[in-house]
Amino acid sequence: MFADDICLISTTPAGLQNQINNLEKASEALGLSVNLNKTKIMIFRKGGHLSKAEKWFYKGKQIEVVNSYKYLGFTLTTKLSFDIALEEFAGRAKRKVVEIMKTMWRLECFDVSLFFKLFDAQVKPMLLYAAEIWGLTRYQVIESVHLFACKRLLNVSIKTPNTMVYGELGRYPLYIDSVLCSLRYWFKLKEMDLVRLPKQAYVYDKNNSLEKKHSWFSNVKSCLDIFGFSEVWINDGVGDVKLFLNAFKERMIDCYKQDWFAKLCESERFVTYRSYKSLLETEKYLHDLTIAKFRKVFVWFRLGVNVLNVNNRYNNRSKLCPFCEEIEDERHFLLKCHKYNVLRENIY
């Protein structure tokens, strides 16, 4: 009739066994039982084998030592790596994206705004779970799910450049949201009582940050410095946290817009695209073109992923038109090539 979780933490084998003994006494006094099938021990270390002393017992039965354990939906590993947990998040999130898309296709609904409302409400929380502790680092496995959703929505190849996909839909990397989660948690930690374990871990990390090149504490400082908010670190806080986070988000978005536009200008791949695209915002035609086959063709034309020879970048085929001696690009196909004169007259 009673269930609860408990986590025992110690820095020594003897200290942990002492805690287990105290748990045994308290359980007997309260009439509670411990499920040893679900009770595991993890030793956080960089590697190596267990020593003979690293064995623990509860009521004479040895407790199993494991290399990973899922607690509160997050898979912990002995090396404190986030990779396994984030891959699990990404797998669940991708399945949810497919489920949403199948439902919209079944209803013949191609509303871009509706799709991203569902994505932000149902998929993004899966991807950003526990971002308070890992969100200051950009993880491609998380971004890949967002890009997968965007490219499936546009019905383009996975090889389509991310710069054009983000630009066409007016979307930003999820890294911006994960950083905000971490900064919000930083402000929360600063106000937390010292009796709380998260606060104690934060103080320990802070006191030892000079010895670690990439601690959570130092990553917060680096993030504030990069985006021009060093004074927040120097002053050890801000007056209005909500107002600051809004300003910080705007700064990150502005920086991303500048990087996005710089990429458009640097690569020859985007010569045609940047001739009609200069702002990172959702294109109006995505709302106006409700017939799927027409929108698909228009997207392919705009992003340069059609079957014209100039877009065959992954083989040795000539870029020249098979009927002329000119490069077969979009302008040539639509306006110049004599092969399509009859079609052109009928359509135009």
Side-chain angles (χ1 to χ4, degrees):
M1 299 298 292
F2 183 88
D4 204 351
D5 292 333
I6 189 169
C7 181
L8 306 179
I9 302 175
S10 180
T11 57
T12 63
L16 181 57
Q17 184 61 59
N18 184 55
Q19 291 188 17
I20 295 172
N21 295 338
N22 291 336
L23 173 64
E24 181 179 338
K25 294 175 183 177
S27 300
E28 290 178 353
L30 295 171
L32 301 176
S33 61
V34 174
N35 187 345
L36 287 183
N37 292 328
K38 295 183 178 179
T39 302
K40 309 297 179 184
I41 288 177
M42 285 190 64
I43 305 171
F44 297 101
R45 62 189 189 279
K46 293 183 179 180
H49 300 284
L50 300 180
S51 67
K52 294 181 179 180
E54 290 178 319
K55 295 180 181 179
W56 295 268
F57 299 87
Y58 180 87
K59 291 186 176 180
K61 295 182 179 180
Q62 186 172 345
I63 304 174
E64 182 184 4
V65 178
V66 295
N67 292 324
S68 64
Y69 188 78
K70 182 175 289 188
Y71 186 68
L72 298 179
F74 193 93
T75 300
L76 299 167
T77 65
T78 55
K79 295 183 180 181
L80 290 177
S81 170
F82 301 135
D83 293 343
I84 295 178
L86 297 184
E87 287 174 3
E88 291 176 354
F89 297 163
R92 290 198 298 268
K94 186 173 285 190
R95 289 191 291 270
K96 190 64 179 179
V97 169
V98 173
E99 180 184 325
I100 292 173
M101 286 188 165
K102 283 183 177 180
T103 302
M104 293 185 69
W105 289 336
R106 189 164 57 248
L107 297 173
E108 296 184 357
C109 175
F110 305 103
D111 190 326
V112 173
S113 299
L114 176 60
F115 172 78
F116 282 118
K117 282 183 180 179
L118 293 171
F119 181 92
D120 292 339
Q122 298 186 20
V123 181
K124 188 188 289 187
M126 292 182 180
L127 293 172
L128 297 182
Y129 182 70
E132 290 82 358
I133 59 172
W134 59 261
L136 293 168
T137 302
R138 189 192 299 265
Y139 284 94
Q140 186 56 38
V141 67
I142 297 297
E143 301 293 352
S144 65
V145 178
H146 185 206
L147 286 167
F148 167 79
C150 292
K151 291 177 181 181
R152 286 293 296 270
L153 184 65
L154 292 175
N155 203 356
V156 295
S157 166
I158 198 68
K159 295 180 179 179
T160 306
N162 301 338
T163 302
M164 292 195 291
V165 173
Y166 279 136
E168 207 72 355
L169 295 169
R171 299 287 291 184
Y172 312 105
L174 294 182
Y175 173 67
I176 292 176
D177 296 288
S178 70
V179 167
L180 290 173
C181 287
S182 295
L183 290 180
R184 191 178 294 110
Y185 191 58
W186 178 58
F187 287 113
K188 185 177 180 181
L189 280 172
K190 290 166 61 62
E191 301 299 325
M192 195 176 289
D193 196 340
L194 191 57
V195 299
R196 300 281 304 277
L197 280 177
K199 178 71 171 195
Q200 294 175 26
Y202 169 73
V203 172
Y204 176 84
D205 195 33
K206 180 179 180 180
N207 294 335
N208 293 275
S209 61
L210 295 177
E211 302 174 5
K212 303 176 182 178
K213 294 182 179 180
H214 300 290
S215 67
W216 187 90
F217 182 82
S218 62
N219 286 343
V220 171
K221 180 181 183 302
S222 299
C223 184
L224 292 171
D225 290 341
I226 289 171
F227 291 101
F229 287 94
S230 299
E231 71 278 2
V232 174
W233 182 264
I234 296 172
N235 297 330
D236 200 29
V238 294
D240 190 326
V241 173
K242 186 175 181 181
L243 188 64
F244 166 75
L245 290 175
N246 289 336
F248 193 88
K249 182 177 182 180
E250 289 299 320
R251 179 71 59 84
M252 291 188 73
I253 291 175
D254 289 341
C255 290
Y256 178 73
K257 286 181 178 179
Q258 294 175 17
D259 292 341
W260 174 84
F261 188 72
K263 289 179 180 178
L264 280 188
C265 298
E266 290 171 359
S267 175
E268 293 183 4
R269 172 69 173 85
F270 307 129
V271 170
T272 303
Y273 186 66
R274 66 172 175 259
S275 68
Y276 45 76
K277 180 71 174 180
S278 59
L279 297 177
L280 184 66
E281 58 184 22
T282 307
E283 289 300 318
K284 189 172 181 292
Y285 77 87
L286 292 170
H287 301 288
D288 296 340
L289 277 177
T290 57
I291 300 177
K293 62 179 181 180
F294 292 156
R295 186 165 72 175
K296 170 184 169 183
V297 171
F298 198 54
V299 168
W300 284 15
F301 166 77
R302 284 178 59 88
L303 303 191
V305 292
N306 45 59
V307 296
L308 299 181
N309 283 340
V310 74
N311 294 319
N312 290 301
R313 299 173 178 83
Y314 306 106
N315 53 45
N316 296 321
R317 286 172 54 183
S318 170
K319 293 183 178 181
L320 298 180
C321 173
F323 312 109
C324 312
E325 292 300 321
E326 297 184 34
I327 293 178
E328 189 185 37
D329 57 10
E330 290 81 2
R331 183 184 297 274
H332 175 78
F333 173 76
L334 288 174
L335 303 175
K336 293 183 178 181
C337 186
H338 63 82
K339 180 70 175 179
Y340 310 109
N341 282 339
V342 176
L343 281 173
R344 200 174 288 119
E345 290 174 2
N346 293 335
I347 294 174
Y348 292 168

